[in-house]
Amino acid sequence: MQDSSPKITTFFMFSGQAEEAMQFYTSVFKPSGIMSVFHQEDRTVLHAVFNLKGQTFMAIDQNHHAKHPFTPALSLFVTCDSEEEIHSVFDQLSQEGQVLMPPVSQQFGWVEDKYGVSWQLNLAKE
């Protein structure tokens, strides 16, 4: 029997906003959900697992003072089911974030969210 669990999982390291970010992302993408969260004594996230549109992600809060910002050199490419979904997700992610490329031909947009994570939103090909 072959193991169906993912072999590679995207892992985010936030600067104290891991739980806030997961709650935000799971409110933007459907279906989604937070699967587990383990906290440190100071309530920062020691380890968490969440799911967006069938994809599993992990998150942690860094526990040192050095900042490690996200960069658009690595982005999450999201296949959206409709133009409405692209616009809805784009609008939500761009609040307090930065537009890297506004929606083009209603089928593609690129945005950096308020946490610094870069998202490319693309319309599914029929």
Side-chain angles (χ1 to χ4, degrees):
M1 177 182 275
Q2 190 174 23
D3 182 9
S4 64
S5 62
K7 303 296 185 220
I8 299 174
T9 302
T10 302
F11 193 101
F12 295 103
M13 184 171 64
F14 292 94
S15 298
Q17 312 112 327
E19 194 155 15
E20 175 187 315
M22 289 185 303
Q23 290 172 355
F24 175 65
Y25 297 147
T26 56
S27 75
V28 170
F29 294 99
K30 300 298 178 204
S32 65
I34 297 173
M35 299 154 74
S36 64
V37 181
F38 298 98
H39 294 96
Q40 299 187 69
E41 287 183 20
D42 65 359
R43 299 300 299 158
T44 58
V45 174
L46 177 62
H47 186 265
V49 179
F50 63 107
N51 183 291
L52 304 175
K53 292 179 67 99
Q55 178 68 42
T56 300
F57 298 89
M58 294 180 187
I60 190 172
D61 280 319
Q62 64 178 355
N63 59 1
H64 48 80
H65 299 291
K67 293 266 184 184
H68 300 287
F70 296 108
T71 169
L74 177 67
S75 61
L76 300 174
F77 191 91
V78 180
T79 301
C80 297
D81 296 322
S82 67
E83 291 179 13
E84 294 79 20
E85 182 183 8
I86 288 177
H87 287 282
S88 173
V89 170
F90 188 91
D91 290 345
Q92 292 175 77
L93 292 175
S94 63
Q95 291 178 11
E96 299 179 52
Q98 178 181 356
V99 173
L100 301 177
M101 180 183 288
V104 176
S105 303
Q106 310 299 314
Q107 297 183 3
F108 180 84
W110 195 351
V111 63
E112 181 179 295
D113 68 29
K114 61 186 172 184
Y115 305 105
V117 177
S118 177
W119 303 84
Q120 294 186 57
L121 309 172
N122 189 62
L123 184 62
K125 304 288 187 229
E126 293 185 13

